[in-house]
């Protein structure tokens, strides 16, 4: 039987932090979690965007508890300030779920963040790594607590190129920088679980990919400038056949976040042709994501680049 949003267990009394929930798949993930009783901490790049999303959720779920917040994952000082506010607001470990969903895709020309890192790698991977590291002690050390990382099936064409991590030597927007950042997400989820297991933590790490849904993602990266942009052309051609809407695309994340059957280190995506659309099921993990040596090196490099030690204890 297909797993749907109706199968989400009660989230009453649970506190969720989800990034990128003012739009697309993250919005629908937050909406369903709120519908099932969770309190949602909803950071967006501006407080206006966060408040507007909170209002939209409250229209559908009038008694929803939403805490709008500000976070720019592409700026490590913003990640730090946000994490410090959360830790001040909730001094005791009180997060049940941390969902790293926010992302950007296919920025046509290489851009650098305020920290000097390539924007897709910074937003999709380094920022979430830093956020998870800073907020790890806010996650309740109990069974039922989860850290979820949203990847992409683009991880299959990615490789971690330690000599070109910031695309400083060559920049390819989709198959290079985006795919690398999403492979890094998969590696992060698996390595995080390795470390949680080694330290006997009851917290688990899971990952998910949504298949394909037409959201702001396809325009926020490529921009509106070129009608001949390959991503836009591909999107228009494939849309009727190979995409599902954002509410369905949110289901693998919701499964990874809430299903009692989700396994530590598990990776979930749609069960249809090429995992493009369909109901949540186990997804194919690229071989490079399973290599512990690459994972250990990436972790160490990420600690250096973010300036944050991330011990799991
Ligand atoms: N849609 C797909 O087909 C697809 C396929 C594979 C994987 N994914 C993954 O699914 C996740 C959600 O994507 P989506 O399709 O829902 O796209 P979306 O509608 O563009 O949502 C992306 C969210 O991330 C936020 N974000 C972007 N840069 C940020 C930053 N620097 N700091 C904080 N938040 C930032 C966006 O905020 P703003 O509104 O301010 O831009 C937005 O809320 C992403 O990780 C994406 O890589 C999507």
């Amino acid at each position: 039987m297909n797993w749907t949003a109706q199968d989400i267990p009660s989230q009453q009394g649970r506190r969720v932090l989800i990034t990128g929930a003012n739009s697309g798949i993250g919005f629908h993930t937050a909406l369903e979690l709120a519908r099932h009783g969770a309190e949602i901490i909803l950071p967006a790049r501006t407080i206006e965007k966060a408040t507007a999303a909170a209002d939209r959720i409250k229209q559908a779920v009038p008694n929803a508890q939403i805490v709008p917040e500000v976070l720019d994952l592409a700026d490590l000082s913003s990640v730090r300030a946000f994490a410090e506010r959360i830790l001040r607001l909730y001094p005791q470990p009180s997060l049940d779920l941390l969902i790293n969903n926010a992302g950007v895709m296919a920025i046509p020309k290489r851009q650098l963040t305020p920290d000097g890192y390539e924007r897709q790698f910074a937003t999709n991977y380094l920022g979430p790594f830093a956020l998870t590291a800073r907020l790890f002690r806010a996650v309740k050390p109990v069974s039922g607590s989860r850290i979820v990382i949203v990847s992409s099936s683009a991880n299959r064409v990615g490789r971690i190129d330690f000599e070109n991590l910031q695309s400083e030597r060559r920049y390819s927007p989709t198959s290079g920088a985006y795919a690398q950042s999403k492979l890094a997400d998969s590696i992060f989820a698996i390595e995080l679980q390795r470390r949680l297991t080694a330290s006997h933590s009851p917290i688990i790490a899971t990952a998910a990919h949504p298949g394909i849904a037409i959201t702001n993602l396809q325009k926020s990266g490529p921009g509106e400038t070129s009608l001949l942009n390959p991503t836009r052309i591909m999107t228009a051609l494939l849309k009727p056949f190979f995409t599902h809407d954002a509410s369905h695309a949110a289901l693998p994340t919701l499964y990874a976040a809430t299903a009692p059957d989700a396994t530590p280190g598990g990776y979930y995506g749609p069960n249809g042709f090429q995992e493009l659309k369909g109901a949540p099921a186990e997804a194919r993990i690229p071989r490079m994501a399973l290599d512990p040596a690459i994972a250990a090196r990436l972790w160490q490099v990420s600690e250096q680049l973010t300036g944050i030690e991330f011990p799991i204890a």
Side-chain angles (χ1 to χ4, degrees):
M1 207 175 66
N2 282 348
W3 194 89
T4 70
Q6 287 174 358
D7 296 308
I8 297 170
S10 169
Q11 300 294 306
Q12 210 68 48
R14 284 166 67 78
R15 180 173 290 140
V16 177
L17 195 165
I18 173 167
T19 64
N22 62 291
S23 169
I25 294 160
F27 174 79
H28 286 279
T29 307
L31 175 64
E32 284 308 329
L33 291 169
R35 220 194 283 285
H36 286 79
E39 177 191 328
I40 314 282
I41 303 172
L42 194 157
R45 283 197 269 192
T46 64
I47 195 67
E48 290 77 16
K49 284 186 184 187
T51 307
D55 290 346
R56 277 167 69 207
I57 292 175
K58 282 185 197 153
Q59 273 166 22
V61 185
N63 56 354
Q65 282 179 278
I66 320 279
V67 182
E69 253 291 348
V70 178
L71 166 67
D72 183 352
L73 285 160
D75 181 346
L76 291 171
S77 67
S78 170
V79 175
R80 180 191 186 140
F82 170 72
E84 284 175 356
R85 283 197 302 280
I86 295 300
L87 291 168
R88 263 200 309 274
L89 203 55
Y90 310 106
Q92 300 303 320
S94 65
L95 291 182
D96 297 281
L97 267 177
L98 167 57
I99 305 180
N100 287 296
N101 160 81
V104 286
M105 181 179 77
I107 296 172
K109 289 208 167 56
R110 181 172 180 260
Q111 282 179 21
L112 296 184
T113 64
D115 306 295
Y117 301 137
E118 188 280 316
R119 184 167 289 275
Q120 297 189 75
F121 191 67
T123 309
N124 299 351
Y125 170 66
L126 277 182
F129 178 90
L131 182 71
T132 307
R134 288 201 181 277
L135 287 181
F136 184 69
R137 65 190 164 95
V139 180
K140 287 183 192 164
V142 298
S143 145
S145 292
R146 292 187 191 180
I147 297 170
V148 182
I149 292 146
V150 177
S151 180
S152 162
S153 52
N155 64 5
R156 293 180 209 152
V157 294
R159 59 185 284 268
I160 304 296
D161 184 351
F162 287 102
E163 309 310 316
N164 191 41
L165 217 44
Q166 308 301 335
S167 305
E168 54 271 66
R169 297 190 177 182
R170 339 166 257 292
Y171 182 67
S172 153
T174 312
S175 60
Y178 181 69
Q180 176 177 253
S181 71
K182 288 297 170 178
L183 177 61
D185 284 336
S186 298
I187 292 172
F188 177 37
I190 292 167
E191 180 64 13
L192 181 56
Q193 183 57 52
R194 266 189 211 109
R195 292 175 188 228
L196 290 166
T197 303
S199 67
H200 307 289
S201 172
I203 301 167
I204 69 165
T206 58
H209 80 84
I212 299 192
I214 306 307
T215 61
N216 286 336
L217 193 73
Q218 290 81 7
K219 30 183 200 217
S220 62
E224 300 287 355
T225 45
S226 169
L227 283 173
L228 294 178
N229 181 292
T231 309
R232 295 191 84 189
I233 293 171
M234 198 184 77
T235 301
L237 291 174
L238 295 183
K239 183 176 173 180
F241 306 105
F242 297 123
T243 70
H244 50 183
D245 61 37
S247 65
H248 287 95
L251 290 175
T253 305
L254 287 163
Y255 186 93
T258 69
D261 291 344
T263 54
Y267 179 45
Y268 302 95
N271 65 1
F273 173 69
Q274 290 293 325
E275 300 179 7
L276 295 172
K277 61 195 268 190
E282 268 183 43
R284 189 149 54 94
I285 302 177
R287 197 151 18 115
M288 203 173 185
L290 295 166
D291 185 328
I294 292 175
R297 185 173 172 194
L298 181 64
W299 191 285
Q300 191 190 15
V301 169
S302 307
E303 287 186 326
Q304 281 164 4
L305 293 173
T306 58
I308 304 166
E309 259 191 80
F310 189 176
I312 306 280

